[in-house]
């Protein structure tokens, strides 16, 4: 399947709008009259809050009426979200932008939306390769906009590997002893970040040992409790804490500090998303690093894809962007560009 990959926001100092493919206006369409339905898996997710806010603002800047943009909270329940999609279809929306609660539900979602004749843009949570292949095989107006989570996991592992074994191997057993705090196990992002963060260490020639692997479901409080339990059981053996997102990394940091450990001195901590608080922690040394999940280019590209469907220009079935590795070396630049 042909994939279109967009350059990321932070690979240069160019403005974000100049870094992304603008919508192609193939025919004269009054966007102000177009009804847009947006389904977000869970409003309480820190990253998706940034995403949906930027998405709505950018849609309005393109000419959509704020009154015709409806964004629904799936409350992390697929049945709830499915009912919301049904309501959008019944209401006759012109385009749907969906962040699915469960990526495994994409086939069912696609079928009902395509049968209703509504263009569909998936965001953030990527459906399976087989599902994406169906869109191309049938030439449906369906696309996915997002980053490849394998890259984010790889970057997490590289942040640790780049420190060197002598720095990270605090107990001097010749291995990187780590714990993993995963997001939703059904989410491909969680699966890939978990797998590829460790693979990056192994690809760097480092031996690894997993001391604990728990599911935090993207939640800060849950991760705080899980890491506290791991630290109490494993004492000083834990050298690295991998978290599939920054919210969980923030929870992990609370437990690390409560246990009397110090990031950068006797333990290392990485997340994904580059939330403001996480960036502040990287800058101050309270987190080893994070990976910027470009909500700006992704949300803009999703809106541009919606416009392309509405104007008849169409889209490729995959529109991607790159993650950015964030450490103390470049965090100030990234903070400046996100202001």
């Amino acid at each position: 399947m042909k994939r279109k990959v967009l350059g990321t926001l932070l690979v240069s100092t160019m403005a974000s709008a100049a870094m992304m493919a603008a919508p192609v206006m193939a025919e004269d369409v009054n966007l102000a009259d177009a009804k847009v339905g947006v389904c977000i898996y869970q409003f309480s997710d820190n990253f998706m809050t940034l995403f949906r806010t930027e998405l709505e603002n950018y849609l309005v800047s393109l000419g959509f009426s704020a009154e015709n943009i409806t964004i629904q909270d799936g409350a992390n329940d697929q049945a709830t979200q499915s009912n919301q999609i049904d309501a959008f279809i019944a209401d006759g929306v012109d385009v749907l932008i969906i962040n699915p609660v469960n990526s495994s539900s994409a086939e069912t979602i696609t079928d009902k939306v395509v049968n209703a004749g509504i263009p569909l843009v998936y965001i953030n949570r990527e459906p399976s390769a087989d599902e994406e292949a169906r869109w191309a095989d049938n030439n449906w107006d369906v696309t996915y906009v997002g980053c490849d989570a394998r890259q984010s996991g790889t970057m997490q592992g590289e942040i640790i590997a780049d420190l060197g074994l002598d720095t990270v191997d605090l107990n001097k057993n010749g291995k990187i002893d780590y714990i993993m705090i995963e997001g939703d196990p059904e989410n491909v992002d969680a699966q890939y970040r978990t797998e590829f963060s460790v693979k990056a260490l192994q690809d760097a020639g480092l031996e690894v040992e997993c001391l604990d692997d728990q599911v935090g479901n993207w939640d800060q409080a849950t991760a705080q409790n899980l890491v506290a339990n791991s630290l109490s059981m494993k004492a000083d053996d834990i050298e690295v804490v991998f978290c599939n997102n920054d919210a969980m990394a923030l929870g992990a940091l609370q437990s690390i500090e409560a246990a009397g450990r110090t990031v950068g001195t006797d333990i290392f901590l990485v997340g994904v998303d580059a939330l403001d608080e996480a960036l502040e922690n990287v800058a101050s040394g309270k987190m080893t690093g994070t990976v910027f999940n470009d909500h700006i280019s992704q949300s803009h590209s999703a809106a541009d894809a919606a416009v392309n469907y509405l104007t008849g220009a169409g889209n490729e079935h995959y529109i991607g962007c790159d993650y950015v590795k964030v450490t103390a070396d470049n965090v100030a630049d990234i903070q400046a560009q996100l202001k």
Side-chain angles (χ1 to χ4, degrees):
M1 185 189 312
K2 187 176 180 183
R3 292 189 164 202
K4 175 182 178 182
V5 181
L6 301 173
T8 185
L9 169 70
L10 297 174
V11 294
S12 75
T13 57
M14 296 174 66
S16 62
M19 304 251 337
M20 295 172 288
V24 179
M25 304 301 283
E27 59 185 58
D28 188 18
V29 173
N30 186 358
L31 297 180
D33 291 336
K35 298 196 322 187
V36 182
V38 182
C39 293
I40 301 299
Y41 97 96
Q42 183 168 254
F43 276 11
S44 62
D45 183 289
N46 307 65
F47 175 75
M48 290 312 301
T49 297
L50 294 173
F51 192 115
R52 63 185 167 90
T53 300
E54 186 67 28
L55 173 63
E56 183 172 17
N57 291 339
Y58 185 64
L59 284 167
V60 171
S61 77
L62 290 176
F64 290 90
S65 169
E67 291 73 21
N68 287 334
I69 302 168
T70 304
I71 305 178
Q72 296 282 5
D73 179 6
N76 202 27
D77 180 74
Q78 189 58 62
T80 296
Q81 185 178 78
S82 295
N83 289 336
Q84 293 166 349
I85 294 169
D86 291 341
F88 276 135
I89 292 172
D91 190 44
V93 296
D94 296 290
V95 65
L96 275 167
I97 300 173
I98 297 178
N99 165 220
V101 173
N102 297 326
S103 298
S104 58
S105 298
E107 180 177 355
T108 301
I109 293 170
T110 300
D111 286 344
K112 68 169 62 177
V113 175
V114 167
N115 287 338
I118 299 171
L120 171 58
V121 180
Y122 282 105
I123 56 173
N124 182 251
R125 294 185 166 190
E126 185 174 3
S128 69
D130 288 344
E131 172 61 12
E132 291 179 9
R134 286 203 313 142
W135 312 340
D137 291 344
N138 292 284
N139 196 30
W140 289 335
D141 284 344
V142 184
T143 189
Y144 169 73
V145 176
C147 299
D148 186 339
R150 287 169 288 204
Q151 185 186 48
S152 60
T154 297
M155 288 180 172
Q156 281 190 303
E158 289 173 347
I159 289 170
I160 300 301
D162 289 347
L163 296 173
L165 182 63
D166 289 343
T167 298
V168 182
D169 183 21
L170 300 167
N171 60 17
K172 304 305 176 185
N173 66 352
K175 298 182 291 187
I176 305 296
D177 298 304
Y178 72 91
I179 64 172
M180 181 71 65
I181 307 299
E182 301 186 30
D184 178 357
E186 281 202 17
N187 188 318
V188 69
D189 284 11
Q191 297 165 15
Y192 282 153
R193 289 172 188 171
T194 297
E195 176 184 356
F196 282 82
S197 57
V198 177
K199 184 177 183 297
L201 294 176
Q202 295 170 323
D203 288 347
L206 299 169
E207 187 176 351
V208 300
E209 182 169 347
C210 180
L211 301 180
D212 201 6
D213 189 329
Q214 299 290 335
V215 174
N217 279 317
W218 311 116
D219 182 68
Q220 180 171 339
T222 302
Q224 180 181 358
N225 290 332
L226 293 173
V227 173
N229 290 337
S230 294
L231 289 169
S232 67
M233 292 186 296
K234 305 296 180 180
D236 297 330
D237 293 335
I238 299 169
E239 295 165 337
V240 178
V241 180
F242 285 107
C243 294
N244 283 173
N245 76 345
D246 278 344
M248 295 191 297
L250 295 175
L253 177 60
Q254 291 174 288
S255 292
I256 287 169
E257 293 180 334
R261 305 284 293 274
T262 302
V263 172
T265 300
D266 58 18
I267 197 167
F268 300 90
L269 171 65
V270 288
V272 176
D273 282 339
L275 300 178
D276 286 345
E277 188 174 352
L279 292 175
E280 292 171 5
N281 287 336
V282 173
S284 67
K286 291 184 176 182
M287 283 179 59
T288 310
T290 185
V291 180
F292 178 56
N293 193 3
D294 192 346
H295 67 277
I296 297 176
S297 67
Q298 290 178 69
S299 59
H300 289 202
S301 296
D304 291 344
V307 172
N308 287 340
Y309 281 138
L310 292 173
T311 61
N315 298 284
E316 296 182 27
H317 298 289
Y318 182 98
I319 303 171
C321 67
D322 289 321
Y323 288 95
V324 179
K325 192 186 307 183
V326 185
T327 66
D329 293 337
N330 67 338
V331 66
D333 291 339
I334 291 173
Q335 287 176 307
Q337 293 185 57
L338 286 174
K339 286 182 179 178

